Amino acid sequence: MLQNQKVFFVLIAAIMLVVIAYVLFRMPDDKKYNILHIVLALVASGAAGNMIDRIHNDYVIDFIYFVIINFPIFNVADIYVTVATFIFAVLLLFYYKDNDFEFLSFKQQKKFKEFK
């Protein structure tokens, strides 16, 4: 699937790394966001690992294979991205609220309340 699309995958990985860096830079240093720091680091690590393989080898080296269930071959970077994405989805659905991500807004946040 999507073989010989090195530029596409490297571009997507680079965009993901920039977005993750932006979110980590804007994220408050609060205990509530510690798990999100870890999840984003796992996604960034997986994206960077696969991107390095694509740049160096023109393909990703997959080396883990389960013969018993005939599951597709994968690597550690794939595990990082998959597990982190699952945890991120659970966090978004059950842990964080909408207003927990206001720090990502491009709107200018008011620091003082207006009095009438």
Side-chain angles (χ1 to χ4, degrees):
M1 180 191 270
L2 294 174
Q3 291 181 356
N4 301 322
Q5 297 297 320
K6 175 183 175 180
V7 175
F8 172 73
F9 284 117
V10 170
L11 183 64
I12 293 297
I15 290 170
M16 286 300 300
L17 291 173
V18 168
V19 168
I20 290 170
Y22 173 78
V23 171
L24 287 174
F25 178 73
R26 297 284 309 256
M27 190 179 304
D29 191 26
D30 190 4
K31 186 177 179 181
K32 173 198 268 188
Y33 297 105
N34 285 347
I35 188 71
L36 193 57
H37 280 131
I38 294 168
V39 166
L40 291 175
L42 285 173
V43 172
S45 300
N50 280 340
M51 185 174 72
I52 290 169
D53 263 359
R54 285 195 194 284
I55 291 171
H56 186 262
N57 300 323
D58 291 336
Y59 58 92
V60 175
I61 299 173
D62 292 329
F63 54 87
I64 301 173
Y65 177 63
F66 292 113
V67 179
I68 299 170
I69 58 175
N70 196 21
F71 198 77
I73 302 172
F74 57 97
N75 61 24
V76 176
D78 298 336
I79 295 170
Y80 283 3
V81 171
T82 304
V83 169
T85 302
F86 176 77
I87 294 171
F88 184 66
V90 170
L91 289 173
L92 283 178
L93 290 172
F94 302 110
Y95 185 69
Y96 292 114
K97 307 294 181 231
D98 289 341
N99 59 352
D100 289 336
F101 295 104
E102 287 179 352
F103 65 89
L104 293 175
S105 175
F106 288 111
K107 295 179 184 177
Q108 191 65 265
Q109 296 177 359
K110 294 183 181 181
K111 298 203 181 230
F112 302 103
K113 292 183 179 180
E114 294 180 16
F115 295 101
K116 290 186 176 182

